[in-house]
Amino acid sequence: MNSPESPLPEGSPLSRGKTRLAILVAILLFALLAAGSLATKRPWSDEGWFASAGFTLAEKGYMGTPVMDESCTGLTGIQKRTYWVLPFYFLAQAAWYKVWGFHLFTMRALSLFLGLVALYCWYSVLTRLAGPRSALVALLLMASDYYFVQAGSFGRYDMLCLTLGALGVWVYFHFRATNLPLGLFLAQCFLCAGGLTHFLGIMTFLWFWIVVLWQDRSRLRVSVLALCALPYLSGAALWYNYIRQSPEDFRAQFLATATSAGRVSGVADPLTALAREFSERYLIGYGLGTHSATHSGPIWMKSLILLAWIAGVVAAILIPSLRRRPVVRLLLVLAFIEFWTMTLLDGHKQTWYLVYMTVPFAALLAIALEWCWDRRPALRAGLVVALAGLIALQAGGSLLRMRINVYKNQFVPAAEYIKAHARPDQMVMGSAELGFGIGFDRNFVDDILIGFKSGYRPEFIVLESNWQGLMEIFRTERPPVFAHMQRLYAEQYRLVYDENGYKIWQLRSPRIP
């Protein structure tokens, strides 16, 4: 690995003008794709849950999630304190809402801003490690990547976690030559915040310290390590202070989340977890498996992106001159850590976590393309076409979803129906994201069991595609709940709205006991 004072890796430099133009194109590409996606995709239940807690913290000063019903989730005390996910994203949300106001689009705009920060950080780091040409290609690949764009337009904590990790890596390399203790300390502040955002923050933490030990183990001192421990001790103390407000609720919520849907089952059965990782995350995520009704078109073409990522990894492993490069080894280690962490610790196999793989995949492919450009001049025209096609294919997935515009064509009409027909005092039950359309501060509750445990009898029940799918699961896995729902719809409610994947049921009048 290069010393702190060593020059950038070899490679014919680009002119400053071309470099700036390429950077501008990448930034605009990501910003436009993320902004378009931000404005056109339907809100999701996770966004509703997280927004409820962030909004409550910003407006009322406590971190509860009042939209969620604890009786059907097992999340005891959730309406007053939120323990089932780590807290830093809610703090970031509340601060953001104080400045920009609360709305679905402002919530998502936070992710867009963070995506721009992450792109800058990784471009800067890759420029130092791999050279300006590979860094630029990687920047273009990351900026157009479907999962990076979706994370940058989604009201979830993934982009915050990823960006905090990127900031930690960037600040370390920025201060490495001039003030290593300061760089390490600031890096730990960001990495600790990332770990308090999502448990997958551990991936960047592990990789970061592998990099530090590889490059700077001879420069580490006990005093420096003690300084690095301060952010973690402070973060743990603050989190513990919040937990001790209600240890019983923390224990109930933490266990309910950790054991839900076999989240950590991969630790006990890694082979099954590995098979599921490929079949449920990668194959589905890249167009070779089942998909939701809102995803249409030639989705199988996404598999070409996966083949490109695999080609970059294979080239890095099999080509000796690439394999010997320290930056390639570090990127392979990053890919290895992220792949196995998600394999073993995420039993849900959500495809949106693929955003964490974007950086090593894009960087390895960019380095392989530069190697081929330098050593196979006859292939340069083909490489340009292939790279442009890959970027277009990645961006095309986001553009296709924008054209469908599920937000305007499906979500808004259903929400407007409720606003037009439900009085503020009447209870509305539906998935949490409905709050973005009708307001979180009204009589609205997310109870997927439709009152089976809570006893609620709302005036309106809103069923979207996700809840309708869960009902079919209840048919076989929870027959009493399914029978309860069928009885309600047959005897106590009437269907008043059935359009574009949304069904709205209204309580018959007079009420049937």
Side-chain angles (χ1 to χ4, degrees):
M1 179 61 65
N2 299 334
S3 67
E5 296 78 18
S6 63
L8 293 175
E10 295 181 0
S12 57
L14 294 171
S15 69
R16 180 170 297 181
K18 290 181 179 179
T19 299
R20 288 178 175 175
L21 178 60
I23 294 173
L24 179 62
V25 168
I27 290 173
L28 287 177
L29 179 63
F30 169 75
L32 291 174
L33 290 174
S37 178
L38 175 156
T40 56
K41 67 181 177 182
R42 196 197 84 183
W44 197 249
S45 55
D46 292 31
E47 293 180 297
W49 298 330
F50 299 157
S52 177
F55 173 75
T56 302
L57 180 60
E59 295 297 320
K60 302 180 181 179
Y62 67 95
M63 204 158 63
T65 310
V67 73
M68 297 182 75
D69 175 64
E70 65 179 51
S71 65
C72 73
T73 60
L75 302 178
T76 305
I78 187 63
Q79 297 188 343
K80 294 182 178 180
R81 299 178 182 86
T82 302
Y83 292 123
W84 70 286
V85 289
L86 293 159
F88 193 77
Y89 182 51
F90 303 129
L91 300 175
Q93 274 191 83
W96 186 261
Y97 298 151
K98 289 291 187 181
V99 177
W100 301 105
F102 176 75
H103 191 276
L104 171 64
F105 296 158
T106 55
M107 180 189 195
R108 290 174 169 177
L110 172 60
S111 296
L112 191 157
F113 169 74
L114 292 168
L116 292 171
V117 175
L119 287 174
Y120 169 79
C121 291
W122 279 113
Y123 168 73
S124 178
V125 170
L126 290 172
T127 299
R128 291 172 180 270
L129 297 180
R133 293 189 300 170
S134 290
L136 279 174
V137 174
L139 178 64
L140 286 165
L141 290 171
M142 288 186 289
S144 59
D145 177 64
Y146 176 82
Y147 288 104
F148 199 90
V149 169
Q150 294 307 309
S153 57
F154 200 10
R156 275 178 51 93
Y157 38 50
D158 303 299
M159 188 55 81
L160 177 60
C161 182
L162 188 149
T163 302
L164 289 168
L167 281 165
V169 175
W170 174 81
V171 78
Y172 161 68
F173 280 104
H174 182 75
F175 287 105
R176 181 179 170 232
T178 57
N179 194 334
L180 180 64
L182 177 61
L184 287 173
F185 172 74
L186 292 176
Q188 303 323 297
C189 293
F190 289 120
L191 294 176
C192 177
L196 288 172
T197 300
H198 193 268
F199 74 94
L200 289 180
I202 194 174
M203 299 187 299
T204 307
F205 170 84
L206 293 173
W207 183 75
F208 176 89
W209 279 104
I210 289 174
V211 174
V212 172
L213 294 175
W214 193 342
Q215 294 191 125
D216 293 314
R217 59 182 177 274
S218 63
R219 304 171 65 196
L220 296 178
R221 302 290 183 269
V222 173
S223 59
V224 175
L225 295 176
L227 185 66
C228 290
L230 287 179
Y232 299 100
L233 294 174
S234 301
L238 291 172
W239 193 26
Y240 174 74
N241 186 59
Y242 180 55
I243 292 171
R244 66 192 295 267
Q245 294 179 18
S246 183
E248 296 79 10
D249 290 344
F250 168 77
R251 188 179 301 109
Q253 293 186 34
F254 181 83
L255 290 176
T257 304
T259 58
S260 66
R263 178 179 288 275
V264 294
S265 59
V267 176
D269 190 358
L271 291 180
T272 299
L274 181 62
R276 292 185 59 218
E277 185 73 8
F278 284 112
S279 63
E280 297 180 29
R281 198 191 312 272
Y282 283 87
L283 294 186
I284 291 177
Y286 287 101
L288 297 177
T290 57
H291 56 272
S292 66
T294 58
H295 293 63
S296 59
I299 296 178
W300 63 268
M301 293 183 68
K302 291 169 65 177
S303 63
L304 300 177
I305 301 172
L306 179 59
L307 291 176
W309 295 150
I310 293 173
V313 174
V314 171
I317 294 173
L318 297 184
I319 299 175
S321 60
L322 285 180
R323 189 172 61 246
R324 287 192 293 268
R325 292 184 62 181
V327 62
V328 171
R329 295 181 182 182
L330 287 177
L331 289 169
L332 287 172
V333 170
L334 176 59
F336 179 86
I337 290 173
E338 292 182 340
F339 177 84
W340 279 105
T341 301
M342 291 193 291
T343 296
L344 299 177
L345 298 183
D346 177 38
H348 291 174
K349 304 302 177 189
Q350 303 287 7
T351 57
W352 50 61
Y353 287 152
L354 287 168
V355 66
Y356 292 99
M357 300 297 296
T358 298
V359 171
F361 279 163
L364 287 169
L365 180 58
I367 292 170
L369 289 173
E370 183 181 14
W371 178 92
C372 194
W373 179 276
D374 290 337
R375 289 161 179 78
R376 301 290 188 272
L379 300 178
R380 288 181 177 179
L383 291 175
V384 171
V385 172
L387 178 61
L390 179 59
I391 292 173
L393 182 60
Q394 293 196 111
S398 298
L399 291 171
L400 181 62
R401 294 197 68 178
M402 291 179 213
R403 184 180 66 83
I404 298 172
N405 200 344
V406 180
Y407 174 80
K408 177 182 178 182
N409 296 324
Q410 298 184 14
F411 175 77
V412 170
E416 290 298 322
Y417 182 91
I418 291 294
K419 289 169 66 176
H421 293 84
R423 299 193 310 269
D425 62 305
Q426 291 179 322
M427 176 178 283
V428 178
M429 184 176 289
S431 187
E433 70 270 17
L434 185 62
F436 291 113
I438 66 174
F440 285 96
D441 53 354
R442 62 168 296 150
N443 192 4
F444 169 55
V445 64
D446 183 333
D447 178 0
I448 184 57
L449 302 185
I450 317 295
F452 180 75
K453 289 186 176 181
S454 66
Y456 291 142
R457 287 297 180 270
E459 189 72 23
F460 291 91
I461 301 172
V462 182
L463 300 180
E464 39 70 53
S465 56
N466 188 43
W467 271 31
Q468 293 176 53
L470 287 173
M471 284 182 59
E472 290 304 310
I473 294 176
F474 290 156
R475 181 194 296 270
T476 56
E477 296 187 3
R478 305 183 71 172
V481 175
F482 182 78
H484 161 77
M485 294 176 174
Q486 293 295 95
R487 187 165 54 251
L488 284 181
Y489 300 138
E491 300 175 1
Q492 299 189 28
Y493 287 82
R494 59 190 179 93
L495 185 64
V496 294
Y497 182 98
D498 187 3
E499 297 182 21
N500 300 316
Y502 280 83
K503 293 183 178 182
I504 299 177
W505 297 78
Q506 183 175 7
L507 191 67
R508 297 179 188 272
S509 183
R511 289 172 177 258
I512 300 176

